[in-house]
Amino acid sequence: MTHTIVNPADGTVVTTVDAATVEETDVAIERAARAQRDWARAAPADRAKVLRRFADAVDGALEELAALEVANSGHPVGQARGEAGHVRNVLEYYAAAPERLSGRQIPVAGGMDVTFHEPLGVVGVITPWNFPMTIASWGFAPALAAGNAVVLKPAEWTPLTSLRLAELGLEAGLPEHLFQVIPGKGSVVGERFVTNETVRKIVFTGSTEVGRHIMAGCAAQVKRVTLELGGKSANIVFADADLEQAAATAPYGVFENAGQDCCARSRILVERSVYDRFMELLEPAVRGVKVGDPADDTTEMGPLVAREHLERVASFVPDDADVAFRGTAPGGPGFWFPPTVLTPARDARVAREEVFGPVVSVFPFDDEADAVRFANATEYGLSGSIWTRDLSRGIRVARAVESGNLSVNSHSSVRYATPFGGFKQSGLGRELGPDAPLAFTDTKNVFFAV
Ligand code: TAP
């Protein structure tokens, strides 16, 4: 069976990719297990050297990887270049880990006690289509650094950059079969990662629904699991904020990657006393978002990933929707949807569900308690922003919002050096940051009697 890869900007066929069967997945997992044994025994400095060379190989292929993501995912080329650079940075950062995975010596009676961080073995990474290469690297880089092998299943729609990354790893000196990318259906390859007992951990990024299913499957073998799931993040703007700055940046907090971002601030909460002024400022900012050809360096927003997804996003904006204003989008072929600002009721479907498209809802709030209450009135808890000039309020609200990643007076969510992940049904476990390699190890305690 093959998957047809379509360019979202114009609907043309880019290429086809072979989809793996269950039997092929099992073969890949067995090969990975064999490669892992030698990798775990290699000197930490040698593992570090190969990962640094992998980072260099990615650095040398930034333009190529960016062009692939433009064609496969419709990401604007400037952003795709940034994503490839992020993969390089993640690899460089975790290249330091093999030589820093220290255990502890713990004082005990009658001998000496030492802990070791042992690799798990084979790790299965399952990625979504929205940020194919960056999210892949959050799994494979720390897993390899900690001495594991990785089998990675990319989303059906967007396998091309992951496939190229595996080739670059091999060219850089990773042992054969240590890092394999296995395109295929989630219900075949992804499901097999969960049921095959040789895979000791699943790192899954995707929808909460599939995440729940995977976690239940992992429970059968007490398989380790990290879940990065959906979001419905709030961007809270207080009356004392720099309103110009808050309004100018709000579109980029939600429309980046055409809103196909788990961290999208798809609910903007504005203190009632400045609501009208904020909307006046927001309108030109939204109309100013440059939507169009992803291969153009000045483009800020591209198309949605696929026709099915476009139809789902459009279902959140029926003819009688409370549209405040919209930006523009090209017509013609391709899967285009304009940046859209709604003013729905707090209990509307669009206010509750993850849209994963360029649609944002704006709501007035009365006071700090009301803002926190509404920000938390969701099953999700991934990201969020708080705009205020009052530092004490910034700290108070950041502590009160039930979310894994908050930003005061900015919309930044992801840095490779800081932990990332969700509260509530946005996920389980953390990726990135200094502790990520530990999530790919089990602690072994050894007591030496003396
Ligand atoms: P999903 O439909 O959940 O798919 C994610 C991945 O899981 C795909 O590779 C998919 O394969 C695979 N899959 C599907 N069914 C499976 C099964 N039964 N067993 C194992 N694997 C299976 O999500 P999506 O539509 O690609 O991505 C959008 C969602 O991801 C959104 O909810 C978004 O918020 C979330 N997301 C979260 C984050 C973080 S970091 N929290 C980051 C990005 C995206 P196929 O492609 O073959 O279906």
Side-chain angles (χ1 to χ4, degrees):
M1 201 181 114
T2 57
H3 292 153
T4 302
I5 307 301
V6 173
N7 184 329
D10 58 16
T12 56
V13 172
V14 178
T15 185
T16 56
V17 170
D18 288 336
T21 61
V22 168
E23 293 70 27
E24 287 163 341
T25 305
D26 282 344
V27 169
I29 291 168
E30 282 319 308
R31 287 176 176 158
R34 280 200 295 278
Q36 190 267 335
R37 285 179 212 122
D38 290 340
W39 179 244
R41 278 196 292 267
D46 291 341
R47 281 195 260 139
K49 213 177 290 167
V50 176
L51 290 172
R52 275 194 290 272
R53 282 205 299 262
F54 192 177
D56 290 344
V58 171
D59 191 58
L62 290 188
E63 287 303 321
E64 183 198 353
L65 287 164
L68 272 179
E69 209 64 280
V70 171
N72 192 168
S73 308
H75 291 193
V77 65
Q79 289 165 31
R81 220 176 267 130
E83 290 160 28
H86 179 83
V87 174
R88 173 205 52 215
N89 294 346
V90 168
L91 275 164
E92 265 172 10
Y93 182 69
Y94 290 115
E99 295 179 284
R100 286 171 173 72
L101 264 178
S102 316
R104 303 170 80 180
Q105 182 267 310
I106 299 172
V108 291
M112 181 178 74
D113 196 280
V114 184
T115 65
F116 298 87
H117 296 298
E118 303 287 9
L120 300 172
V122 179
V123 173
V125 178
I126 302 172
T127 56
W129 46 260
N130 63 331
F131 287 108
M133 64 178 143
T134 53
I135 292 174
S137 72
W138 302 355
F140 71 69
L144 294 172
N148 300 281
V150 172
V151 286
L152 185 147
K153 193 209 89 67
E156 271 174 72
W157 288 338
T158 57
L160 300 188
T161 46
S162 297
L163 284 165
R164 185 64 189 125
L165 283 171
E167 289 171 1
L168 289 170
L170 206 56
E171 289 164 20
L174 278 185
E176 207 183 0
H177 302 137
L178 189 75
F179 171 36
Q180 299 171 71
V181 171
I182 310 166
K185 288 192 85 63
S187 56
V188 178
V189 178
E191 198 81 41
R192 190 61 187 146
F193 285 2
V194 175
T195 54
N196 185 311
E197 291 187 5
T198 303
V199 177
R200 294 290 162 76
K201 170 163 183 156
I202 300 288
V203 178
F204 171 79
T205 305
S207 60
T208 296
E209 187 189 352
V210 176
R212 270 191 212 111
H213 171 75
I214 286 180
M215 190 172 172
C218 287
Q221 296 167 25
V222 197
K223 189 171 290 202
R224 278 79 180 128
V225 62
T226 296
L227 302 174
E228 296 284 4
L229 310 175
K232 191 71 196 171
S233 298
N235 173 10
I236 308 175
V237 182
F238 286 97
D240 70 352
D242 178 341
L243 275 195
E244 279 74 18
Q245 181 73 0
T249 58
Y252 302 96
V254 60
F255 299 142
E256 202 160 89
N257 200 21
Q260 302 166 122
D261 183 343
C262 51
C263 294
R265 277 74 168 152
S266 57
R267 296 181 298 158
I268 305 179
L269 283 52
V270 186
E271 194 158 356
R272 199 175 292 281
S273 59
V274 294
Y275 178 87
D276 290 343
R277 176 71 187 133
F278 181 84
M279 290 300 266
E280 273 170 30
L281 292 166
L282 183 63
E283 182 165 353
V286 168
R287 292 194 193 282
V289 175
K290 195 168 172 228
V291 184
D293 179 5
D296 180 336
D297 256 313
T298 64
T299 293
E300 294 177 312
M301 192 184 116
L304 294 170
V305 69
R307 180 167 311 284
E308 295 96 300
H309 189 57
L310 172 64
E311 283 162 12
R312 182 173 183 278
V313 169
S315 76
F316 283 95
V317 191
D319 289 344
D320 61 349
D322 300 303
V323 177
F325 40 85
R326 311 181 85 148
T328 55
F335 315 129
W336 299 94
F337 198 86
T340 300
V341 179
L342 305 178
T343 54
R346 284 190 182 190
D347 61 355
R349 174 178 170 236
V350 71
R352 289 179 287 109
E353 293 183 19
E354 184 177 42
V355 178
F356 228 54
V359 179
V360 68
S361 303
V362 192
F363 309 89
F365 69 82
D366 295 322
D367 54 23
E368 190 178 310
D370 184 35
V372 169
R373 207 166 33 241
F374 183 46
N376 287 340
T378 165
E379 61 182 355
Y380 296 116
L382 190 57
S383 253
S385 303
I386 298 145
W387 290 80
T388 176
R389 286 193 172 95
D390 178 343
L391 182 58
S392 302
R393 194 210 300 271
I395 295 168
R396 235 177 10 247
V397 176
R399 296 301 302 274
V401 173
E402 296 160 353
S403 179
N405 300 82
L406 287 154
S407 199
V408 180
N409 297 328
S410 95
H411 295 301
S412 126
S413 287
V414 172
R415 284 159 301 269
Y416 60 84
T418 58
F420 178 78
F423 277 28
K424 303 197 282 191
Q425 298 198 29
S426 285
L428 186 76
R430 291 292 176 272
E431 296 191 287
L432 299 175
D435 298 332
L438 287 178
F440 295 98
T441 66
D442 264 337
T443 301
K444 179 181 285 174
N445 191 75
V446 182
F447 173 71
F448 298 85
V450 290

